[in-house]
């Protein structure tokens, strides 16, 4: 049993790869690192898991991150994504989908495809990253199942499951004229972090606030808790911002059959916090302001919540009003528009992320 | 909108790739092809789906197939895996995990990672393959969610969900001395098909029974229905055979803390049906017999059910008794052993599939 000899030999621990550890050896190392939760009726180790669905329903989604598409192992600014980063982001991103429905997440299943040369230490870091994301985000979430396989590039697919506790889910299609548009969480920080990671400015030279922007890209912190709170407060439509505020608001507008008017002045206040990083990359002045606004309205991956609420009610704690829902003008498409900004600086509303590069 | 122009231009239909179709264009093409089912409360299109869990629990598993690891696009014998094959196998393999717990599957989520050059027609074939597997296997299963992304190789991850209707799940750990060991479904046919696909014998020269073995590898037909039937009949332990009968029986023996004695004579009858293909590859006689027996006891991917039942009761329809459960002898490991075969022909019990190549 070569795997056992290698596992017990401390001299080879640093060089241990997933190929030398083997599938069962790797599973034995990472299972104890993963989070456990109270909804698990049967955890990992059999052909499938069994989880509780107390209201007779389960909310479920799936999402994949692939190396060099959704994350880089080696960024242009010298930073190397750790397994901890990738595990954290996979968990956070998938739990955000539960938040977007107003559900409380309880379970994750994670399938990990790895090149045989991947260090076991990277995979252990991945498991710790999942654990730390769950704990930091305050979630009662277990990893109840998984799969390990080999491939030419690292790929992570996670399935998240959640509980609506008897409530109707928040859909994208429920916004109505007269509602207000509100967000919970941050906007543009992950995009600013992405720009820093892809820049020529060495990450070692960045100050703490700039490092925090890199963290927002590599270890995002979606506002879990805000989704169920929005549901309790009568949210009419909701989704998470994963491809950029304007692109996602446009989707919500189309699904709801109305127009979302977003307040460029309020959004500029989100952008203002990004101005130091924008200045670092674009120089002071007009160009930096446009760059920061572009991050705030065009950047995804903060996994903020985009919601609409009846205009008559106050929005719940943690939400900021950024616009309103109006009827779509005759002859126009249902869409999201920025209003109140200077025409020159208004970003292209078609910006956002398409996984195959089409508009 | 270049995607729309291309979609509507029949001249470019054959050359259309996922890169030119774009994510939303691709989704619009494949959604209508996917199966729908009665457990779906909210289907694809929002941040997550909502599915019914009538007994307040859900059975769930995840599994990934990666190009050149779990399937080949181009086989040595000239056969090219179609999207239909890959979609079918992904669905069948994941539904088998539900079957292995005794659950009735009701939902699938599928994440598809594709090189940008992948033809749209391949992806449409994939969706039809999922549909056809579900229908052919007689399942009431919907694809309730998914994800599309790009990567350097094709990778498919599916999550399956199922319903136990109030029963306790069948675990690997419940076998007890005095039980009989039984299988439902086929053994070794997928392995024989794999050997034909990897051989130098052009697939065009194969006869219908040999083509059917290739089909068993590329479009497996796990015995859905046998799992819930086994549960109703008092099955004590169950799993699906995905890595080979002996390897998987050994896992069941370890989980249950006993020894599984498998009858080599009965298993030889499974091998006998594989003899023509074995003869084609190994020549007539002893070598072919050994090869066929190796497929039957070492080959996975038929997704047969390996089960143990109380020895006092008849096994349910569709199951064949292949052995018995006995206490593990002092000083021996809990394991599965072949008994009744000639010593020389007895296959290596460590055979089977490890995704990183370790034993």
């Amino acid at each position: 049993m070569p795997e056992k000899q290698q596992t017990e030999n401390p001299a080879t621990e640093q060089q241990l790869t997933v190929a030398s550890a083997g599938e069962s050896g790797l599973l034995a190392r990472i299972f104890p690192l993963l989070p456990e939760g109270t909804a698990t009726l049967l955890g990992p180790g059999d052909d499938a898991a069994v989880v509780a669905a107390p209201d007779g329903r389960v909310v479920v989604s799936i999402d994949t991150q692939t190396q060099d598409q959704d994350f880089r192992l080696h960024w242009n600014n010298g930073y190397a994504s750790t397994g901890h980063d990738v595990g954290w982001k996979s968990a956070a991103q998938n739990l955000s989908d539960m938040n977007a429905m107003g559900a409380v997440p309880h379970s994750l299943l994670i399938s990990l495809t790895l090149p045989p040369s991947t260090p076991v230490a990277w995979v252990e870091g991945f498991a710790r990253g999942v654990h730390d994301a769950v704990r930091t985000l305050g979630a009662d979430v277990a990893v109840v199942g998984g799969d390990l396989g080999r491939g030419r590039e690292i790929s992570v697919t996670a399935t998240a499951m959640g509980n609506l506790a008897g409530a109707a889910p928040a859909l994208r299609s429920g916004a109505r004229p007269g509602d207000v548009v509100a967000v919970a969480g941050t906007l543009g920080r992950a995009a600013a972090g992405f720009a820093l990671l892809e820049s020529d400015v060495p990450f070692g030279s960045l100050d703490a606030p700039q490092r925090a922007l890199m963290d927002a890209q590599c270890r995002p912190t979606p506002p879990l808790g805000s989704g169920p709170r929005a549901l309790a407060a009568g949210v009419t439509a909701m989704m998470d911002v994963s491809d950029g505020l304007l692109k996602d608001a446009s989707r919500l507008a189309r699904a709801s059959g109305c127009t979302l008017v977003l307040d460029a002045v309020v959004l500029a206040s989100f952008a203002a916090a990004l101005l130091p990083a924008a200045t670092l990359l674009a120089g002071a002045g007009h160009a930096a302001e446009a760059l920061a606004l572009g991050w705030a309205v065009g950047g995804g991956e903060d996994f903020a919540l985009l919601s609409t609420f009846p205009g008559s009610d106050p929005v719940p704690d943690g939400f900021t009003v950024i616009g309103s829902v109006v009827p779509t003008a005759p002859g126009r498409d249902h869409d999201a528009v920025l209003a109140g900004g200077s025409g020159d600086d208004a970003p292209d509303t078609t910006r956002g992320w398409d996984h195959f590069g089409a508009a």
Side-chain angles (χ1 to χ4, degrees), chain A:
Chain A
M1 291 173 59
E3 58 189 286
K4 196 162 182 189
Q5 289 167 9
Q6 293 223 23
T7 305
E8 290 175 351
N9 184 346
T12 64
E13 185 71 12
Q14 290 304 312
Q15 293 85 41
L16 193 65
T17 65
V18 299
S20 51
E23 190 174 3
S24 56
L26 200 53
L27 288 172
R29 282 167 170 263
I30 62 181
F31 270 150
L33 304 175
L34 293 169
E36 298 180 346
T38 57
T40 310
L41 302 175
L42 175 70
D46 219 293
D47 292 273
V50 184
V51 299
D55 76 350
R57 299 172 303 167
V58 65
V59 185
V60 61
S61 68
I62 194 167
D63 223 359
T64 296
Q65 294 176 79
T66 301
Q67 177 184 339
D68 299 329
Q69 300 297 333
D70 302 288
F71 64 91
R72 295 194 200 291
L73 289 183
H74 299 284
W75 297 87
N76 193 57
N77 77 344
Y79 181 72
S81 285
T82 62
H84 192 270
D85 291 341
V86 176
W88 178 301
K89 187 165 181 174
S90 175
Q93 175 169 346
N94 282 277
L95 298 180
S96 176
D97 282 326
M98 298 297 100
N99 201 34
M101 304 300 282
V104 176
H106 53 66
S107 306
L108 285 169
L109 297 97
I110 301 181
S111 183
L112 200 47
T113 300
L114 300 166
S117 60
T118 308
V120 165
W122 194 95
V123 188
E124 291 173 331
F126 177 92
R128 288 193 189 94
V130 171
H131 179 278
D132 291 352
V134 164
R135 293 289 169 264
T136 302
L137 297 174
D140 174 16
V141 166
V143 174
V144 298
D147 188 23
L148 277 174
R150 69 196 276 171
R152 286 195 286 164
E153 56 198 351
I154 296 178
S155 179
V156 188
T157 300
T159 287
M161 303 172 78
N163 176 26
L164 283 163
L171 307 183
R172 300 177 176 189
S173 52
R176 296 292 173 262
D179 289 351
V180 296
V181 181
V183 292
T186 61
L187 292 174
R189 289 177 56 81
F194 181 85
L196 290 169
L197 285 158
E198 288 286 78
S199 79
D200 294 327
V201 182
F203 84 93
S205 71
L206 299 179
D207 62 18
Q210 292 158 353
R211 296 276 190 110
L213 296 174
M214 282 175 45
D215 288 347
Q217 168 63 221
C218 297
R219 295 194 299 281
T221 54
L224 300 191
S226 289
R229 203 153 54 233
L231 209 57
V235 69
T236 53
M238 190 153 64
M239 65 187 298
D240 67 343
V241 180
S242 53
D243 292 339
L245 176 68
L246 279 172
K247 184 162 188 168
D248 287 327
S250 175
R251 288 175 173 151
L252 193 148
R254 282 201 300 276
S256 295
C258 51
T259 292
L260 270 58
V261 181
L262 305 182
D263 185 328
V265 175
V266 176
L267 291 171
S269 70
F270 282 89
L274 307 171
L275 208 49
T279 302
L280 177 72
L281 297 184
H286 189 80
E289 286 169 23
L291 182 59
L293 187 60
W295 289 336
V297 303
E301 300 198 294
D302 288 47
F303 304 106
L305 280 182
L306 170 65
S307 315
T308 58
F309 294 95
S312 50
D313 303 336
V315 298
D317 279 355
F319 283 85
T320 302
V321 173
I322 61 164
S324 58
V325 183
V326 301
T328 300
R332 302 296 296 270
D333 291 333
H334 305 303
D335 206 347
V337 296
L338 265 185
S342 84
D344 287 347
D345 287 356
D348 177 357
T349 57
T350 64
R351 282 181 63 151
W353 189 251
D354 178 287
H355 289 97
F356 294 108

